[in-house]
Amino acid sequence: GNKNVQAKLVLLGDMGAGKTSLVLRFVKGQFLEYQESTIGAAFFTQVLSLNQVTIKFDIWDTAGQERYHSLAPMYYRGAAAAVVVYDITSMDSFVRAKKWVQELQRQGNPNLIMFLAGNKADLAEKRKVGFEDGEQFAKENGMVFLETSAKTAQNVNELFYEIAKKLAKA
Ligand code: GTP
């Protein structure tokens, strides 16, 4: 028979890495060149069907600005999956992503399924973080890794399908 899964998903990462843009690409199929910075957090829902399983995502898109850091546990607590996002054109954002992963390992749900997204893959000429660096870090931490572009839609549906697949199995 059919199975329905409701899953809380949280996106974390440096300001400007593209969290909101990835969610808007997935939920609405849209991209804004001048996406405003998130204040506090934003909530979205989306449904994905995989074979016999329907996944309803409750998505918390957190604000990357440091002043909102203390709010993050409210959003990752109880989450089934987390996507840590960095910008491939910013080494600082990659360092920040590593810190998020550490925080989730220490304070997140022990069964949390973690994904790493190296976003803005369309800006290859400005790349500062190698594909291998992201891949290696993800491997060391048992995360699924994808390079994405909210702008071109590269790997965005794939990312959410990977999450759905893992959640359907969990
Ligand atoms: P905060 O809300 O401040 O935490 O930022 P965020 O991580 O949600 O980033 P946001 O989605 O607001 O994107 C920041 C800027 O980067 C916006 O101007 C987006 O248009 C741009 N951007 C996001 N994703 C991409 C991408 O894949 N490629 C390119 N070229 N630009 C992107």
Side-chain angles (χ1 to χ4, degrees), residues 16-17 31 33 87-90 118-129 147-152 154:
F31 174 76
E33 208 61 64
D87 167 355
I88 68 152
T89 74
S90 161
N119 190 43
K120 309 198 187 180
D122 57 290
L123 299 178
E125 73 286 358
K126 293 191 190 162
R127 178 189 286 278
K128 298 284 181 339
V129 184
E147 282 196 347
T148 58
S149 169
K151 185 169 180 172
T152 67
Q154 176 190 334

Side-chain angles (χ1 to χ4, degrees), residues 148-170:
T148 58
S149 169
K151 185 169 180 172
T152 67
Q154 176 190 334
N155 275 344
V156 177
N157 282 337
E158 288 78 357
L159 172 66
F160 289 93
Y161 267 94
E162 285 297 322
I163 297 168
K165 265 200 263 173
K166 291 250 178 184
L167 289 171
K169 277 189 222 156

Side-chain angles (χ1 to χ4, degrees), residues 43-116:
F43 179 70
F44 299 86
T45 62
Q46 179 65 301
V47 177
L48 257 189
S49 291
L50 271 181
N51 306 318
Q52 309 289 336
V53 187
T54 301
I55 311 267
K56 181 177 178 274
F57 285 112
D58 285 338
I59 306 173
W60 286 100
D61 167 26
T62 66
Q65 290 181 52
E66 190 49 44
R67 67 175 118 153
Y68 298 115
H69 189 159
S70 61
L71 300 179
M74 289 202 301
Y75 301 105
Y76 64 68
R77 217 172 277 144
V83 182
V84 176
V85 182
Y86 66 92
D87 167 355
I88 68 152
T89 74
S90 161
M91 189 50 80
D92 284 352
S93 77
F94 186 53
V95 171
R96 190 82 193 81
K98 291 180 174 179
K99 295 207 174 110
W100 277 119
V101 172
Q102 275 184 359
E103 178 168 337
L104 291 172
Q105 285 168 341
R106 288 183 189 143
Q107 297 180 67
N109 155 17
N111 303 316
L112 184 69
I113 304 170
M114 291 199 287
F115 295 78
L116 183 66

Side-chain angles (χ1 to χ4, degrees), residues 16-21 31-33 35 37-38 64 119-120 122 149-150:
K19 298 175 295 298
T20 303
S21 299
F31 174 76
L32 299 175
E33 208 61 64
Q35 178 62 50
S37 193
T38 302
N119 190 43
K120 309 198 187 180
D122 57 290
S149 169

